[in-house]
């Protein structure tokens, strides 16, 4: 996903030395931007070259010149299993509003659900103000599984949020709840009038698409279309081009099997259910997803980059049909959780295994 800010200069002080890794475009430089993170989940870059990182336990960190500062005022999270403080996305009009979007697991009595909050970051970057939760997935679940959860600002200013099935497989086909869906809301939490199910009393009006298992990556392409990566079970990890009102099949169809080895649902296809643009078998445990603009590497224009938590690499996908064409791999790519494009065209990613954020650039850029 392309973040539309102007970066003034490319000098990054207070960061670790860079290492070179070979790719299809020759050597790239991986520079450690911050380290010592505890289960980092998401990263996004601010207009002044500083950046925000979430830690799943509940901390939002503001990093400037390699120095971490804990941001006050973050909503209380239900840090259980895969739940906690999850995605962070900086609003496209941040320079005017200073708003950011957060997704997190929110306590709902004895349960928890994926929630979306909007807040303002103070001028000094050390606190959030005017924090408001504008969406909560219902019903909440008791397990710590499958929260999703990415938030993407669409070109029209609406917000997409990915929500997992919470370990309740049949719920992903039940449109009277938000489980296993992509939802779309306005920035104030109201429901867009052109959502696909606004006139259907049997479907939650926030739902954009459904039949998803656990989408942990999401990004827009140059046309403004939403792409997501989602975890399968044993095999069947998917890349989907998400369109309004469509059913993506889980758990009725899948290219994987249950962890027990038993068959999932009815097979790999069924009328009325969408096929993935790409699937992996065996599973790579895909997380953050970004569609690249081509700014620094024109040959990669329009390619999709996805982090692998299981096999410790960044997958590059291209072509029609879409397929994995490259694996960018080094010591730095241990359990890649998030992948984003910075305004200058550099590629940033989170390594959970290294507890660090890295920036990828051509060697001559620095």
């Amino acid at each position: 996903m392309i973040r539309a800010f102007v970066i003034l200069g490319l000098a990054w002080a207070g960061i670790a030395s860079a290492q070179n890794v070979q790719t299809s475009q020759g050597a790239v430089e991986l520079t450690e931007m911050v380290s010592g993170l505890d289960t980092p989940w998401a990263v996004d870059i601010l207009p002044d070259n500083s950046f925000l990182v979430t830690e799943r336990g509940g901390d939002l960190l503001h990093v400037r010149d390699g120095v971490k500062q804990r941001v006050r005022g973050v909503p209380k999270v239900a840090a259980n299993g895969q739940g906690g403080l999850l995605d962070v996305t900086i609003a496209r009009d941040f320079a005017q509003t200073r708003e950011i979007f957060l997704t997190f697991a929110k306590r709902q009595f004895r349960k928890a659900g994926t929630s979306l909050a909007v807040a303002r970051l103070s001028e000094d970057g050390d606190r959030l103000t005017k924090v408001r939760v504008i969406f909560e997935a219902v019903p909440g679940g008791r397990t710590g599984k499958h929260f999703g959860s990415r938030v993407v600002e669409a070109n029209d200013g609406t917000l997409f949020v990915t929500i997992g099935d919470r370990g309740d497989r049949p719920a992903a086909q039940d449109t009277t709840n938000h489980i296993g869906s992509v939802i779309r809301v306005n920035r104030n939490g109201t429901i867009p009038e052109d959502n696909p199910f606004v006139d259907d009393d049997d479907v939650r009006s926030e739902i954009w698409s459904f039949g998803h298992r656990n989408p942990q990556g999401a990004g827009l392409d140059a046309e403004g279309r939403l792409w997501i990566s989602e975890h399968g079970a044993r095999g069947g990890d998917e890349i989907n081009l998400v369109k309004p009102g469509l059913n993506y099949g889980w758990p009725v169809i899948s290219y994987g099997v249950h962890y027990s080895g038993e068959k999932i649902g009815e097979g790999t296809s069924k009328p009325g259910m969408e096929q993935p643009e790409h699937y992996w078998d065996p599973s790579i445990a895909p997380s953050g997803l970004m569609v690249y603009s081509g700014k620094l590497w024109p040959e990669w224009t329009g390619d999709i980059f996805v982090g692998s938590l299981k096999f410790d690499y960044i997958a590059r996908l291209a072509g029609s049909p879409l397929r994995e064409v490259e694996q960018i791999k080094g010591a730095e790519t241990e359990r890649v959780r998030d992948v984003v494009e910075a305004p200058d065209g550099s590629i940033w990613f989170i390594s959970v295994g290294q507890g660090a954020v890295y920036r990828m650039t051509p060697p001559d850029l620095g």
Side-chain angles (χ1 to χ4, degrees):
M1 179 171 49
I2 302 170
R3 320 290 198 187
F5 299 124
V6 177
I7 295 289
L8 300 177
L10 294 171
W12 300 85
I15 55 181
S17 59
Q19 302 293 326
N20 284 348
V21 169
Q22 290 297 319
T23 73
S24 60
Q25 296 305 307
V28 296
E29 201 165 80
L30 302 184
T31 304
E32 184 182 275
M33 305 305 295
V34 70
S35 61
L37 302 175
D38 182 6
T39 318
W41 216 91
V43 61
D44 205 358
I45 300 97
L46 291 157
D48 64 358
N49 293 354
S50 64
F51 56 97
L52 298 176
V53 183
T54 62
E55 293 182 323
R56 196 173 64 199
D59 284 340
L60 176 66
L61 303 176
H62 179 221
V63 185
R64 189 191 306 277
D65 298 335
V67 178
K68 301 187 292 284
Q69 179 182 32
R70 184 174 177 270
V71 179
R72 295 173 292 166
V74 175
K76 186 177 181 181
V77 307
N80 174 35
Q82 297 170 4
L85 183 59
L86 302 173
D87 205 12
V88 58
T89 295
I90 296 165
R92 191 175 292 110
D93 62 358
F94 179 86
Q96 291 76 44
T97 65
R98 299 199 64 82
E99 287 193 335
I100 68 169
F101 311 115
L102 296 170
T103 64
F104 61 104
K106 183 177 183 292
R107 183 69 60 194
Q108 299 168 330
F109 299 102
R110 295 182 179 179
K111 299 180 180 181
T114 303
S115 298
L116 169 66
V118 180
R120 291 186 181 179
L121 182 68
S122 62
E123 291 286 344
D124 56 10
D126 74 347
R127 67 190 182 281
L128 298 181
T129 63
K130 298 188 177 180
V131 180
R132 54 206 186 277
V133 175
I134 63 170
F135 170 80
E136 293 185 40
V138 293
R142 294 184 184 275
T143 74
K145 297 179 179 179
H146 301 180
F147 288 88
S149 146
R150 298 289 173 185
V151 52
V152 175
E153 184 181 7
N155 287 347
D156 63 3
T158 59
L159 301 173
F160 291 113
V161 179
T162 68
I163 301 168
D165 70 2
R166 304 292 282 106
D168 181 1
R169 294 190 293 269
Q173 290 294 319
D174 180 359
T175 53
T176 64
N177 63 54
H178 298 119
I179 307 305
S181 69
V182 174
I183 66 100
R184 176 175 176 252
V185 295
N186 291 316
R187 197 149 149 180
N188 61 2
T190 60
I191 298 167
E193 294 181 356
D194 59 346
N195 268 12
F197 298 112
V198 288
D199 296 322
D200 190 334
D201 293 337
D202 296 324
V203 182
R204 291 274 179 175
S205 296
E206 298 91 346
I207 291 177
W208 184 256
S209 64
F210 63 100
H212 301 288
R213 184 175 183 270
N214 191 23
Q216 288 193 349
L220 302 180
D221 64 17
E223 300 175 43
R225 301 179 301 175
L226 181 69
W227 294 79
I228 66 172
S229 58
E230 53 185 297
H231 291 254
R234 190 169 136 194
D237 292 348
E238 295 182 355
I239 300 290
N240 284 301
L241 175 58
V242 180
K243 298 178 181 179
L246 298 186
N247 180 351
Y248 287 80
W250 177 258
V252 180
I253 60 173
S254 174
Y255 283 90
V257 297
H258 291 300
Y259 294 115
S260 65
E262 294 182 2
K263 178 183 175 181
I264 293 175
E266 301 176 19
T268 58
S269 65
K270 185 175 182 177
M273 296 184 177
E274 299 304 300
Q275 287 290 299
E277 298 296 319
H278 176 79
Y279 72 90
W280 285 275
D281 189 10
S283 296
I284 70 163
S287 194
L289 177 150
M290 173 269 292
V291 185
Y292 189 61
S293 71
K295 185 173 290 186
L296 295 183
W297 295 278
E299 296 83 355
W300 289 347
T301 300
D303 292 355
I304 296 175
F305 290 75
V306 178
S308 168
L309 291 162
K310 183 177 181 180
F311 293 125
D312 302 333
Y313 68 88
I314 299 172
R316 183 172 68 86
L317 299 100
S320 182
L322 190 68
R323 63 188 181 92
E324 184 182 285
V325 295
E326 183 174 9
Q327 297 179 0
I328 299 172
K329 189 176 180 70
E332 298 83 358
T333 61
E334 183 181 2
R335 287 185 58 78
V336 177
R337 172 63 73 181
D338 198 12
V339 183
V340 300
E341 180 180 348
D344 63 2
S346 60
I347 296 173
W348 292 50
F349 63 92
I350 284 177
S351 166
V352 180
Q354 297 289 336
V357 174
Y358 294 93
R359 174 176 180 253
M360 186 167 81
T361 58
D364 56 352
L365 189 61

